[in-house]
Amino acid sequence: MDNQAEVREFLTSRRAKITPEQADLPSGSRRRVPGLRRSEVAALADVSVEYYAKLERGNLAGVSPAVLEALARALQFDDAERAHLLNLAHTADGSDTLTRPRRRTAQWKAHRSLQWVLDAVTAGPAFVRNGRMDLLATNELARAFYDDVYAAAGNQANLARFQFLDPASRRFYPDWEQAADVAVSILRTEAGRNPHDKDLHDLVGELSTRSDDFRTRWGAHNVRHHGTGTKRFHHQAVGDLTLAYEGLEMAAEPGLTLTIYTAEPGSAHEEGLRLLASWAATSQTLTSRSSD
């Protein structure tokens, strides 16, 4: 991806989101731009207008950590946005090659002990994904949970393709718009962290070409850390599920995330997961019999 274009569009979009009131500046009555003016960001970051204009044109090469931090403060970045800015700066310097996650082939498989860990989780779906949102390894319950994703070969076990190209996602995600925002933010974050990933480039190109919903969101340049929270789902076999999730970065496999979904103890959603496990076992038995 074009680093200068990424920097330019990211900084421009962040500047447009901050109102003068949020920055404790007078709003005035003759503003011609959304958000802050370049001169206002420069003043807040304690740099010259000319220097900030250079940064916003996409030139982050050689920028000091102190200036990057001042810029993040001026634009009121959250942790994900600050990390994204640093990743863009590292790419501009060429230093991202030292921290870039190693490329994995399409045939990558979980080593035995990792699969044992996944299989040891029996009360909820557990799976490993990469930053492109490919499902790389699952326990039995996660395989059943994402049955819709695996049902269409065109999804290629990729949650982003399922989200934007498979009509079944509109049922699976009752809060579809929110889930779509999250999916694109994860991909945009990965693009900053691993800008030389050709498979990611290809996926973004495919989704941008085939989905207006994706293309609009991609242009917003939103990023996020997706570590913990609650989501609603509607599974075709067991109905509505509200599940909490925890996403854990894997120290032994940089760039991969282990995610586990759980339900509140004693809730109807916990019972739903038990029904899902029963459904998965029944489906597996029927499949085994038919293959015999």
Side-chain angles (χ1 to χ4, degrees), residues 3-4 7 58-62 86-96:
N3 179 258
Q4 287 199 343
V7 172
N59 190 351
L60 287 185
L86 293 177
N87 284 330
L88 292 174
H90 290 160
T91 299
D93 287 336
S95 57
D96 66 308

Side-chain angles (χ1 to χ4, degrees), residues 27-134:
S27 59
S29 59
R30 301 178 61 183
R31 304 187 71 87
R32 294 180 297 174
V33 296
L36 299 180
R37 300 184 179 101
R38 288 191 184 92
S39 59
E40 292 169 330
V41 176
L44 291 168
D46 196 24
V47 298
S48 70
V49 177
E50 292 76 14
Y51 186 65
Y52 176 72
K54 172 187 173 183
L55 300 182
E56 198 174 271
R57 286 195 296 270
N59 190 351
L60 287 185
V63 178
S64 70
V67 169
L68 293 173
E69 183 58 32
L71 194 58
R73 286 197 305 269
L75 292 171
Q76 301 181 19
F77 283 178
D78 61 21
D79 289 343
E81 290 168 324
R82 179 178 283 101
H84 189 63
L85 178 65
L86 293 177
N87 284 330
L88 292 174
H90 290 160
T91 299
D93 287 336
S95 57
D96 66 308
T97 57
L98 299 176
T99 57
R100 191 185 309 164
R102 68 178 182 271
R103 181 177 175 84
R104 293 176 175 82
T105 67
Q107 291 75 37
W108 182 90
K109 291 183 179 181
H111 50 80
R112 291 191 304 163
S113 59
L114 175 55
Q115 190 60 56
W116 294 341
V117 169
L118 292 172
D119 292 339
V121 180
T122 58
F127 60 93
V128 174
R129 67 161 178 84
N130 57 22
R132 295 188 302 272
M133 302 186 72
D134 295 315

Side-chain angles (χ1 to χ4, degrees), residues 152-208:
N155 293 332
Q156 299 177 46
N158 180 273
L159 295 175
R161 281 195 185 89
F162 172 69
Q163 177 80 52
F164 291 100
L165 304 182
D166 193 329
S169 72
R170 299 277 179 170
R171 171 187 50 75
F172 185 70
Y173 297 111
D175 303 313
W176 190 91
E177 297 287 340
Q178 180 182 7
D181 291 342
V182 169
V184 176
S185 295
I186 290 173
L187 293 182
R188 176 61 81 176
T189 301
E190 179 67 7
R193 192 174 66 92
N194 194 13
H196 307 288
D197 186 340
K198 182 181 182 300
D199 292 334
L200 177 60
H201 293 196
D202 292 345
L203 175 63
V204 169
E206 176 189 359
L207 297 179
S208 296

